[in-house]
Amino acid sequence: MASGEALRLLWRGDIDAGAAEAVVTSHRTVDDVGSAYGMGDAGDVLARAGVTVGQRFVLGPDGSYDLALNRMLRELPSWGVPSRNGQEAYCSDLMLICRFLREARGGKTIWEMDGADLRAFKQARLFAKDPDDRIEYGTWQRFIAALDKWVTWSLDAELLSAEPFRYVDKVVATPNGPRQLRVNAESEPGRTSRPVRFLPYEDFLLWRDVGLRGFLPDGGRDPKWRGRNGERNALFADLLACTGMRLTEASCLLVPGVPPLMYGRGDFRLSRATTKRNTMRTVYARRRVLGDLHHFIGIERDEVVQRRRAADAYEWEDTHKVLRSSRQALVVEGGTRAWAYATLTYEDRLHLLSVDARGAELGPLWLWLGENGLPLRSSTWQSAFRRANERCAALGLDFDVHPHTLRHTFAVHMLGLLLRQTVRALGMSEDRRFTLAQIKRLLIGNPMRKLQLLLGHAHEHTVHQYLDVLDAAQEIVLAALAEWDEQFAVLEGLRVDEGAR
């Protein structure tokens, strides 16, 4: 049986509703329904095709399966999209483009798409007459990125003979002067519909305590609060806010990778297999957050692991049994060499199970576990943040916080801290007020490079978006982050890798 035929049958989703509306739909691969269709070897077929459980794929309105398009989606990890969230975003965007072509462009497929179709899609989505249908510039850039990735992959696979869209050279301002880049003619680089969203630190603490920990806005305990994972969820939010990690990076951390509390700098070494663009980097956690993390591992996390072990419930299938582990690598049962963390993907990490010398299961290496003792995926955290926003709204607090909001929060506060460092180094008074132009002159160069490294951006000009925030938030520059004073020592120890310049 061809892998495409197998995938047509192995999905989770309401295909009947999709077919009735005659729309292109996306679904998620599962491996537990093959027997229902008389496909006992379905799992083997999927494995040979390189398909994992949870893999997204696209179906046409008649249930048809585009072999080439779905192969491209499966191969995204090797094309610079290692995170599951990124892969799902590309799948969703390409599915919506296919749906538009089907419904508004005479039933075209994506393989027949040309520049006129792209301009029509842009008009319908970015400049729609109805505000409810209108997307933001950032969302449009994501569509362009998905299409450009599809074009690059298709040309390499010799499925397209030429680029279907027009590409132009545009000059982009960088710290090193103007730079010429080749971009899709319909892209809108540098444009945005909204400013950077971040939280002043006191607002972050209020949102965290009310939304995640179950407090009332006045600081008292809410007697109606029934949440059982508030401290764990608040700790996860603290980690995002003080390190700038992306959601996927923080959610797939392993216990052996947590920095030691004694004599440590709180350095988390993010491996290339789990970061955007496969780039290794190191981020630093505040000592208080690191202490809370060790407390969580030793108390709350250990309790759920022991409860699961008592029920003999760690007898998983398809696991990698880990005999020994360090912060650099681990040794698995039956392995011929140590596995470096740099090679372990998100999915690999989900299946790491620590065992003792006799082979008895000790528990997952995955750091964040649910009450059932099993790993929490990224989607769980998104749901937790959404519930926190809803709880705050019910109590009269206007917050719309997402995991990426805390990444921006880190960037803005860290920028203020970096500015204080620069001002001190220049011997200026810290209470001096600066114009935006002066702030930019102070920060262009090494401090901005440091922030780029901490955030893991490919280009330094990407972090310039946070400069404009400072003009409207001068108090951040002057006060920096009293809570983050420990970061000074970290920044002093941060050295720019000359080879990465």
Side-chain angles (χ1 to χ4, degrees), residues 160-174:
L160 290 177
S161 58
E163 294 172 339
F165 315 125
R166 186 169 66 92
Y167 288 83
V168 297
D169 292 329
K170 289 192 175 183
V171 177
V172 177
T174 73

Side-chain angles (χ1 to χ4, degrees), residues 2-5 7-8 49 55-59 64-76 79 91 94 98 109-112 149-160:
S3 60
E5 295 172 349
L7 283 170
R8 284 187 59 187
Q55 170 72 50
R56 286 281 186 180
F57 61 97
V58 176
L59 293 180
S64 58
Y65 180 88
D66 188 320
L67 286 169
L69 178 60
N70 285 291
R71 179 160 67 94
M72 178 259 182
L73 295 174
R74 294 199 305 274
E75 294 179 2
L76 280 174
W79 283 80
C91 179
L94 290 173
C98 290
T109 70
I110 194 170
W111 304 102
E112 301 168 309
K149 184 73 70 176
W150 167 73
V151 169
T152 303
W153 180 90
S154 300
L155 290 172
D156 182 78
E158 298 182 348
L159 295 171
L160 290 177

Side-chain angles (χ1 to χ4, degrees), residues 409-418 451 454 481 484 487 491:
T409 297
F410 162 81
V412 172
H413 286 288
M414 179 58 71
L415 196 52
L417 199 158
L418 288 168
L451 184 59
L454 289 170
L481 290 168
W484 290 31
Q487 285 283 6
L491 291 172

Side-chain angles (χ1 to χ4, degrees), residues 376-396:
L376 295 176
R377 289 181 175 268
S378 301
S379 57
T380 303
W381 297 114
Q382 293 172 325
S383 299
F385 276 53
R386 183 178 64 252
R387 291 193 300 269
N389 292 332
E390 293 170 353
R391 172 175 163 77
C392 286
L395 292 171

Side-chain angles (χ1 to χ4, degrees), residues 233-387:
N233 296 350
L235 177 58
F236 185 81
D238 279 338
L239 190 64
L240 292 182
C242 81
T243 63
M245 277 192 268
R246 297 180 176 89
L247 172 60
T248 302
E249 295 166 348
S251 64
C252 71
L253 293 173
L254 302 177
V255 173
V258 175
L261 185 58
M262 295 297 294
Y263 312 115
R265 294 197 304 164
D267 53 325
F268 285 85
R269 303 159 188 170
L270 306 182
S271 72
R272 58 180 174 79
T274 60
T275 59
K276 194 173 182 179
R277 289 180 295 275
N278 293 68
T279 304
M280 295 179 64
R281 79 179 193 278
T282 300
V283 299
Y284 302 87
R286 292 181 50 222
R287 190 167 184 80
R288 182 190 62 77
V289 174
L290 186 59
D292 290 345
L293 189 53
H294 278 273
H295 185 268
F296 162 75
I297 293 172
I299 305 295
E300 184 177 343
R301 185 185 184 280
D302 184 67
E303 191 274 331
V304 297
V305 169
Q306 296 305 327
R307 189 182 339 127
R308 182 89 182 184
R309 287 183 61 194
D312 295 325
Y314 277 130
E315 297 180 0
W316 300 347
E317 294 182 1
D318 191 28
T319 59
H320 305 304
K321 294 186 176 181
V322 180
L323 300 174
R324 299 185 304 279
S325 60
S326 68
R327 292 196 68 195
Q328 289 75 36
L330 52 84
V331 176
V332 298
E333 187 176 78
T336 58
R337 57 180 177 81
W339 291 4
Y341 291 123
T343 64
L344 298 178
T345 66
Y346 186 99
E347 293 297 324
D348 291 333
R349 292 164 177 244
L350 279 171
H351 296 91
L352 295 176
L353 185 64
S354 180
V355 298
D356 61 20
R358 294 173 295 178
E361 292 84 1
L362 300 177
L365 265 66
W366 193 271
L367 174 59
W368 305 104
L369 305 180
E371 288 190 57
N372 58 4
L374 298 179
L376 295 176
R377 289 181 175 268
S378 301
S379 57
T380 303
W381 297 114
Q382 293 172 325
S383 299
F385 276 53
R386 183 178 64 252
R387 291 193 300 269

